[in-house]
Amino acid sequence: MVAVQAPLISQMRRGMLQYCVLALLVEEERYGFDLVKALGEVEGMVTSEGTIYPLLSRLRRDGLVETSWQESPSGPPRRYYSLTAAGRAALEAFAEEWSRFRDAVDHFIEGRRA
Amino acid sequence: VSYDPEPEIKRYLERLSRAAHDLPRGRRRELLSEIELHIRMALAQTPCANQEELEALLEKVGAPAEIAAAATDQAVAPIQRPPGAIAFLRGHRPRRLIMTLVALALVVFAIGAAVWTQSYQPLAFARADILPANSFNTEGETGYAAWIGYHKGIGGGPDRPFFGVTIQNTGPFTVQLVRPPAKYAPTMPVMWGWSSRLLMARYTRLKTNPNPLLARQGHRSLWKRGPLQPFQPISLAPGQIVMIAYQGVWHDCQIKPHVGTTTPPRSFPIRFSYLWKTTTAHIPFPGGLTIDPPNHHSNTDCHQTPQTGNSQSNASGSTGFGQGPNQTVVRDSVKQVASVEIPKVGPVALWHGNTEQGGWCLGLRLSNSDWLGTGESPLDGGGAVPGCFPTGVIDRGTHHLEWLENDIDARRIGGTQWRIRSGVITVPGAVKVTDLATDQSTNVIDGGLFILAIQAPNPSAPPYQSPHLHLVAYDKAGNVIASDCLYHSCSGS
């Protein structure tokens, strides 16, 4: 079996990961640890939990998410992330593109297998 | 014993901090805070019982280098830094870039400041629509204050020419005026024929003209200067004015510039220091000078002026007198002959010597070895000696009483001003000399020398002013055997 190029997968994961984070925030706001755990439940999405935080920071600087500090029932205050209108629009645009792209890729890969 | 994870967490965060050192401070602090909070939440959810469990937890969080790389967007494709200085600067943290730029700016500023300081020359001639008192026949063109005049007072007897300028600090910073090298005076062509020394009038200013008639005619201000005193270094503040003059005696009658001649020098040397530099600025005269030669002025006709006089080099000679162009000191004849005690000042010694040409030399010396009349001492109020003179020239050979004046200003040490008259009586038999104007007397020494100290609270006012002088020499029998009077009421005596 030929190994898939690790850098390529890493870049794909990095490109997709930000939209996964945005998708997790569509229904509800979440705090960082919660987001990391949710992403970690899906195998292959997160290799290092700590790398999520720089991503969240960049999304905030890009205006795709916004944050607020809220008291925690246990422990220190938590920083909650929620989707902005720009973040929602970016996610919808990506979802449309991603659907076409995934179908196209599947078309070739599934077709080869068939 | 329960396991304490804190040391390991601390070490992990320190490694993360080091790995993220290229991040801006705010982002680095935020990242560390987020990661620490994440670790504590994970520990709260699943406490670690030992070192291995904590290491597994931290491994799950991620290697510090990996997290830092993600924060600097280098996780997948490390940035290939382009070569070159700018790229080097871009590749480093902004704080270093700022510090580098600040350092560069400081270096550029320092170089610029050094270049500017080297070229800084704020001194210029001040305008003087009205010439200083006692100077009347020469001024620089366009009203600038360069002047040659004839000064009464110090020296008495024949008037003494002086050549001076009015200097103003036109710059924004204070500079220090210092004494120019002695070589400048002899090399100034207008000083040919002069023996001179450098004087200054530091309290020079323009005053409102009290004469309403003159004020209406446009002369709204009067040029007032303080007394000419031996030059001393001073600080010249922005806008401040000072007069600087060479004063001396005309000893070479071969130099006879024509009236109206534009005569060198074309500049006046002023030496000043500012910050680390000391330089001589040659301030150009606008259009040169038009001078009226001294032999066109009755009081300074060459036939009436001394043939030799004091010079700047007088006090530097081993004899204390140096030598004039026509007089050479006989070294073995030089000795101290008398002294007078001046309160607060101490003894002032009279030195005398003969010249090979039959003339005489006089000098006045303070107890600290400073010669009066040379500017060496801060107590020096100026004067005519030390100097060497041919016999019979000072008084034109008619009075047999040849004398010169020096001033002492002891006010700065709690004393007063003094006028010292010293001289030679050229007829035999004198035992006593009296100044009838002030009724001060002194004994004659060595058959013909005298030194008379007169306390003069205001040397420029009667009866101390030279025109009020009336010196008389008596013999043992009380007969007048020599007399010199400048006072108008005794003229002819």
Side-chain angles (χ1 to χ4, degrees):
Chain A
M1 180 180 178
V2 178
V4 179
Q5 287 188 353
L8 175 62
I9 296 301
S10 178
Q11 286 199 35
M12 285 175 59
R13 184 186 295 119
R14 186 181 173 216
M16 300 300 116
L17 186 58
Q18 60 182 321
Y19 294 103
C20 296
V21 170
L22 294 178
L24 283 171
L25 297 173
V26 169
E27 297 297 328
E28 58 179 343
E29 60 181 8
R30 291 170 181 263
Y31 59 96
F33 186 79
D34 187 26
L35 274 170
V36 170
K37 291 300 170 191
L39 289 167
E41 287 170 1
V42 179
E43 187 179 349
M45 278 309 296
V46 177
T47 55
S48 300
E49 294 174 347
T51 57
I52 297 299
Y53 291 98
L55 171 62
L56 290 170
S57 178
R58 185 168 63 79
L59 291 175
R60 180 171 54 82
R61 290 198 306 276
D62 291 346
L64 300 179
V65 300
E66 57 190 2
T67 64
S68 62
W69 287 95
Q70 296 179 23
E71 290 295 331
S72 165
S74 62
R78 294 168 177 170
R79 188 180 216 174
Y80 276 79
Y81 294 82
S82 59
L83 213 52
T84 64
R88 193 174 299 276
L91 177 62
E92 287 173 359
F94 173 78
E96 194 173 327
E97 283 296 320
W98 171 250
S99 179
R100 279 202 295 270
F101 181 71
R102 183 193 58 205
D103 290 347
V105 173
D106 285 349
H107 169 77
F108 290 107
I109 292 178
E110 297 299 330
R112 185 183 62 79
R113 286 180 180 170
Chain B
V1 178
S2 61
Y3 171 66
D4 179 12
E6 288 304 322
E8 188 62 30
I9 293 172
K10 187 180 175 187
R11 278 194 291 276
Y12 177 86
L13 292 174
E14 285 172 352
R15 289 204 304 277
L16 178 58
S17 179
R18 282 195 297 274
H21 77 281
D22 279 346
L23 280 180
R25 183 177 297 180
R27 284 179 61 187
R28 186 168 75 244
R29 193 179 298 143
E30 179 186 350
L31 178 65
L32 286 166
S33 171
E34 297 271 27
I35 297 296
E36 183 179 5
L37 189 61
H38 180 90
I39 293 170
R40 300 208 179 281
M41 283 185 173
L43 275 174
Q45 200 173 64
T46 313
C48 294
N50 52 48
Q51 173 86 12
E52 288 72 24
E53 288 182 13
L54 181 64
E55 286 175 353
L57 185 150
L58 294 177
E59 188 177 350
K60 208 171 172 187
V61 173
E66 189 180 5
I67 297 172
T72 51
D73 294 334
Q74 294 179 30
V76 176
I79 295 174
Q80 296 295 319
R81 290 174 182 168
I86 299 299
F88 171 81
L89 294 174
R90 281 180 181 155
H92 286 71
R93 52 199 300 188
R95 191 171 56 179
R96 287 183 185 170
L97 177 61
I98 291 170
M99 289 174 64
T100 304
L101 291 175
V102 168
L104 281 173
L106 286 174
V107 169
V108 170
F109 176 79
I111 293 172
V115 170
W116 180 84
T117 301
Q118 282 303 116
S119 62
Y120 185 59
Q121 202 294 89
L123 302 176
F125 293 138
R127 290 192 67 86
D129 296 329
I130 300 174
L131 286 174
N134 300 328
S135 70
F136 44 84
N137 67 348
T138 300
E139 74 177 305
E141 292 182 1
T142 66
Y144 283 79
W147 26 265
I148 293 178
Y150 301 96
H151 179 61
K152 289 178 177 292
I154 296 174
D159 293 343
R160 319 189 82 199
F162 61 91
F163 168 60
V165 293
T166 306
I167 296 294
Q168 183 171 26
N169 181 357
T170 61
F173 305 109
T174 296
V175 298
Q176 184 86 0
L177 291 192
V178 298
R179 180 183 293 275
K183 66 180 181 181
Y184 281 107
T187 58
M188 293 178 71
V190 80
M191 306 299 288
W192 287 345
W194 279 25
S195 290
S196 64
R197 59 199 178 94
L198 190 60
L199 303 174
M200 69 188 304
R202 66 172 65 198
Y203 303 110
T204 304
R205 65 197 185 282
L206 282 172
K207 278 185 66 176
T208 303
N209 194 335
N211 186 322
L213 181 61
L214 290 175
R216 277 198 298 275
Q217 290 174 348
H219 301 293
R220 292 187 174 83
S221 54
L222 274 179
W223 195 245
K224 297 291 290 183
R225 66 166 169 80
L228 284 171
Q229 297 172 328
F231 181 90
Q232 288 184 358
I234 60 164
S235 294
L236 204 61
Q240 193 176 344
I241 288 172
V242 66
M243 282 186 178
I244 294 178
Y246 286 96
Q247 184 190 49
V249 292
W250 204 273
H251 59 68
D252 189 347
C253 290
Q254 302 305 311
I255 304 295
K256 293 180 180 176
H258 299 290
V259 176
T261 302
T262 298
T263 307
R266 301 215 173 257
S267 65
F268 194 97
I270 297 292
R271 194 160 178 80
F272 73 98
S273 62
Y274 175 67
L275 295 180
W276 60 80
K277 78 162 182 176
T278 298
T279 187
T280 301
H282 295 268
I283 306 177
F285 291 118
L289 284 176
T290 302
I291 73 166
D292 191 3
N295 51 344
H296 284 256
H297 184 268
S298 59
N299 288 340
T300 55
D301 190 297
C302 257
H303 298 296
Q304 300 178 23
T305 53
Q307 294 299 300
T308 65
N310 57 311
S311 70
Q312 288 187 334
S313 62
N314 277 345
S316 62
S318 59
T319 64
F321 304 127
Q323 60 186 47
N326 299 326
Q327 300 292 308
T328 303
V329 180
V330 178
R331 291 178 177 271
D332 293 342
S333 69
V334 176
K335 62 180 179 181
Q336 178 183 332
V337 294
S339 71
V340 292
E341 186 73 20
I342 304 292
K344 303 282 185 183
V345 175
V348 176
L350 176 66
W351 285 67
H352 172 262
N354 298 317
T355 70
E356 294 175 359
Q357 294 77 16
W360 48 267
C361 306
L362 289 182
L364 296 170
R365 203 173 200 182
L366 300 175
S367 57
N368 65 357
S369 299
D370 285 346
W371 292 94
L372 289 179
T374 62
E376 288 179 340
S377 170
L379 305 179
D380 191 350
V385 300
C388 299
F389 303 90
T391 300
V393 168
I394 289 278
D395 67 347
R396 288 165 257 166
T398 57
H399 304 300
H400 310 294
L401 201 162
E402 301 188 311
W403 55 272
L404 294 164
E405 285 183 332
N406 283 70
D407 283 347
I408 291 176
D409 186 349
R411 287 175 292 181
R412 67 174 59 198
I413 57 172
T416 182
Q417 298 185 85
W418 290 78
R419 176 147 287 184
I420 312 293
R421 289 182 177 132
S422 57
V424 178
I425 299 161
T426 55
V427 292
V431 297
K432 178 182 171 186
V433 169
T434 300
D435 176 20
L436 297 179
T438 59
D439 200 27
Q440 300 287 309
S441 296
T442 185
N443 293 328
V444 173
I445 313 118
D446 275 3
L449 305 172
F450 69 91
I451 175 171
L452 181 61
I454 300 170
Q455 188 172 4
N458 184 357
S460 299
Y464 313 106
Q465 197 180 19
S466 295
H468 294 265
L469 168 140
H470 188 177
L471 281 179
V472 176
Y474 300 96
D475 63 11
K476 197 177 293 184
N479 299 315
V480 175
I481 60 172
S483 172
D484 192 8
C485 180
L486 299 180
Y487 195 37
H488 60 85
S489 65
C490 60
S491 59
S493 63

